[in-house]
Amino acid sequence: MNIRELLERARVRSGLNSKRQVAIEVGIAASIMTQYERGVFIPTDEILCDFCALAEVDPKRWLLWARMQREQGKARQHWEEIAAMYVKETGPQAA
């Protein structure tokens, strides 16, 4: 699952009618939501947890994903390895 799919799932599962309503629900501007969808910005961990709650998914994989996106170089490689170990332990489901 990618971030765009998570945001859409949050909209559908929460019963909100628009992306704008999802943005309001988590306390951000609709324009920021668009930037998240486009991959321009990575949501903060708190906002990401809010999206996961609306989408009814466990936030652990999304928190790993966000951490990997924020890192560069050797640190990113190590976070990718941690994520791979987590997926191996918990199974390949996306959410």
Side-chain angles (χ1 to χ4, degrees), residues 1-10 36-37 42-53 55-70 79 83 86-87 90 93-95:
M1 188 184 303
N2 64 43
I3 190 69
R4 183 176 294 188
E5 292 169 340
L6 174 66
L7 299 177
E8 179 62 17
R9 184 171 177 167
Y36 292 157
E37 285 183 312
I42 304 300
T44 65
D45 291 348
E46 287 298 314
I47 297 293
L48 195 55
C49 287
D50 291 342
F51 287 141
C52 288
E56 301 174 353
V57 298
D58 187 330
K60 291 177 189 79
R61 286 178 191 243
W62 286 104
L63 292 169
L64 273 170
W65 169 83
R67 183 61 189 251
M68 285 187 304
Q69 299 307 308
R70 293 181 188 119
W79 277 105
Y86 179 79
V87 170
T90 61
Q93 66 275 8

